[in-house]
Protein backbone atom coordinates (compact mmCIF):
# COMPACT_ATOMS: atom_id res chain seq x y z
CA UNK A 1 0.00 0.00 0.00
CA UNK A 2 1.03 3.56 -0.75
CA UNK A 3 -0.22 6.66 1.03
CA UNK A 4 -0.16 10.13 -0.51
CA UNK A 5 0.02 13.26 1.62
CA UNK A 6 -0.97 16.44 -0.23
CA UNK A 7 -0.34 19.98 0.94
CA UNK A 8 -0.07 23.54 -0.32
CA UNK A 9 -3.64 24.30 -1.30
CA UNK A 10 -5.39 27.48 -0.29
CA UNK A 11 -6.75 30.83 -1.41
CA UNK A 12 -4.77 33.01 -3.80
CA UNK A 13 -5.53 36.11 -5.87
CA UNK A 14 -5.59 36.05 -9.68
CA UNK A 15 -2.08 36.37 -11.04
CA UNK A 16 -0.58 34.88 -7.92
CA UNK A 17 1.35 31.68 -7.37
CA UNK A 18 0.92 28.55 -5.32
CA UNK A 19 2.99 25.41 -4.86
CA UNK A 20 1.46 22.01 -4.20
CA UNK A 21 3.32 19.06 -2.74
CA UNK A 22 2.52 15.36 -2.64
CA UNK A 23 4.66 12.94 -0.65
CA UNK A 24 4.32 9.20 -1.16
CA UNK A 25 5.00 6.76 1.63
CA UNK A 26 4.45 3.09 2.40
CA UNK A 27 5.33 0.08 0.27
CA UNK A 28 7.16 1.93 -2.47
CA UNK A 29 9.38 -0.10 -4.78
CA UNK A 30 8.96 1.14 -8.32
CA UNK A 31 7.12 4.42 -8.85
CA UNK A 32 7.47 5.16 -12.54
CA UNK A 33 5.30 8.25 -12.76
CA UNK A 34 3.46 10.81 -10.66
CA UNK A 35 0.96 13.43 -11.62
CA UNK A 36 -1.61 16.04 -10.75
CA UNK A 37 -5.27 16.09 -11.70
CA UNK A 38 -7.97 18.58 -10.82
CA UNK A 39 -11.74 18.70 -10.57
CA UNK A 40 -13.35 22.14 -10.93
CA UNK A 41 -16.74 22.73 -9.27
CA UNK A 42 -19.46 20.87 -11.16
CA UNK A 43 -17.02 19.42 -13.69
CA UNK A 44 -15.18 16.16 -14.33
CA UNK A 45 -11.69 15.38 -13.11
CA UNK A 46 -9.03 16.30 -15.66
CA UNK A 47 -5.32 15.86 -16.19
CA UNK A 48 -3.08 18.76 -15.19
CA UNK A 49 0.44 17.37 -15.53
CA UNK A 50 2.47 14.18 -15.20
CA UNK A 51 6.14 13.39 -14.75
CA UNK A 52 7.99 10.09 -15.13
CA UNK A 53 10.82 8.85 -12.96
CA UNK A 54 13.13 9.90 -15.78
CA UNK A 55 11.85 13.47 -15.73
CA UNK A 56 9.66 13.43 -18.83
CA UNK A 57 6.74 15.83 -18.36
CA UNK A 58 3.32 16.24 -19.90
CA UNK A 59 0.93 19.17 -19.44
CA UNK A 60 -2.63 19.98 -20.25
CA UNK A 61 -2.89 22.75 -22.82
CA UNK A 62 -4.71 24.96 -20.33
CA UNK A 63 -1.71 25.13 -17.99
CA UNK A 64 1.25 25.07 -20.38
CA UNK A 65 3.60 27.95 -19.74
CA UNK A 66 2.10 28.63 -16.32
CA UNK A 67 2.47 25.42 -14.30
CA UNK A 68 5.61 23.38 -13.68
CA UNK A 69 5.63 19.80 -12.40
CA UNK A 70 8.73 18.40 -10.75
CA UNK A 71 9.73 15.61 -8.41
CA UNK A 72 12.28 14.75 -5.78
CA UNK A 73 12.94 11.04 -6.20
CA UNK A 74 14.85 10.81 -2.92
CA UNK A 75 11.78 12.07 -1.06
CA UNK A 76 9.22 10.35 -3.31
CA UNK A 77 7.56 13.73 -3.63
CA UNK A 78 5.98 15.47 -6.59
CA UNK A 79 5.42 19.23 -6.79
CA UNK A 80 3.21 21.49 -8.84
CA UNK A 81 4.34 25.10 -9.10
CA UNK A 82 1.35 27.14 -10.26
CA UNK A 83 2.01 30.63 -11.60
CA UNK A 84 -0.19 33.31 -13.15
CA UNK A 85 -3.21 31.69 -11.59
CA UNK A 86 -6.64 32.34 -13.04
CA UNK A 87 -10.11 31.95 -11.51
CA UNK A 88 -10.69 28.98 -13.83
CA UNK A 89 -7.84 27.17 -12.07
CA UNK A 90 -10.09 26.88 -9.02
CA UNK A 91 -10.54 23.18 -8.29
CA UNK A 92 -9.74 20.32 -5.99
CA UNK A 93 -6.29 19.11 -6.99
CA UNK A 94 -5.46 15.41 -6.68
CA UNK A 95 -2.10 13.71 -6.62
CA UNK A 96 -1.69 10.40 -8.47
CA UNK A 97 1.15 7.91 -8.21
CA UNK A 98 1.80 5.06 -10.65
CA UNK A 99 3.70 1.92 -9.64
CA UNK A 100 4.55 -1.22 -11.57
CA UNK A 101 1.46 -2.90 -10.12
CA UNK A 102 -1.22 -0.25 -9.67
CA UNK A 103 -1.93 3.44 -9.05
CA UNK A 104 -2.94 5.52 -6.04
CA UNK A 105 -4.91 8.72 -5.50
CA UNK A 106 -4.48 11.38 -2.85
CA UNK A 107 -7.46 12.83 -1.00
CA UNK A 108 -7.25 16.16 -2.78
CA UNK A 109 -6.44 19.71 -1.77
CA UNK A 110 -8.58 22.77 -2.50
CA UNK A 111 -7.16 25.59 -4.61
CA UNK A 112 -9.27 28.73 -4.87
CA UNK A 113 -8.28 31.63 -7.11
CA UNK A 114 -10.35 34.70 -6.29
CA UNK A 115 -9.97 38.41 -5.67
Amino acid sequence: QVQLAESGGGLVQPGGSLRLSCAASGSIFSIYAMGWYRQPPGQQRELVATITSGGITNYADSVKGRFIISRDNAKNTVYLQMNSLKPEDTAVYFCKTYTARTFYWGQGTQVTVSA
Side-chain angles (χ1 to χ4, degrees), residues 12-105:
V12 66
Q13 295 186 19
S17 298
L18 208 60
R19 178 177 159 107
L20 305 182
S21 299
C22 175
S25 62
S27 301
I28 303 173
F29 294 98
S30 57
I31 295 177
Y32 65 86
M34 301 183 75
W36 289 96
Y37 293 72
R38 68 185 182 186
Q39 187 166 9
Q43 302 183 38
Q44 297 181 351
R45 190 173 299 185
E46 62 185 19
L47 170 72
V48 176
T50 58
I51 184 169
T52 69
S53 60
I56 300 174
T57 59
N58 181 48
Y59 296 91
D61 289 340
S62 60
V63 305
K64 286 182 179 178
R66 299 189 299 120
F67 290 11
I68 301 172
I69 188 171
S70 62
R71 67 179 295 176
D72 185 334
N73 290 334
K75 296 181 178 180
N76 289 316
T77 300
V78 64
Y79 305 93
L80 184 68
Q81 178 66 47
M82 303 183 292
N83 302 313
S84 301
L85 283 163
K86 305 174 181 179
E88 50 262 44
D89 293 319
T90 296
V92 178
Y93 284 71
F94 297 89
C95 177
K96 187 175 184 179
T97 299
Y98 299 85
T99 70
R101 298 168 58 184
T102 187
F103 60 86
Y104 302 88
W105 286 99

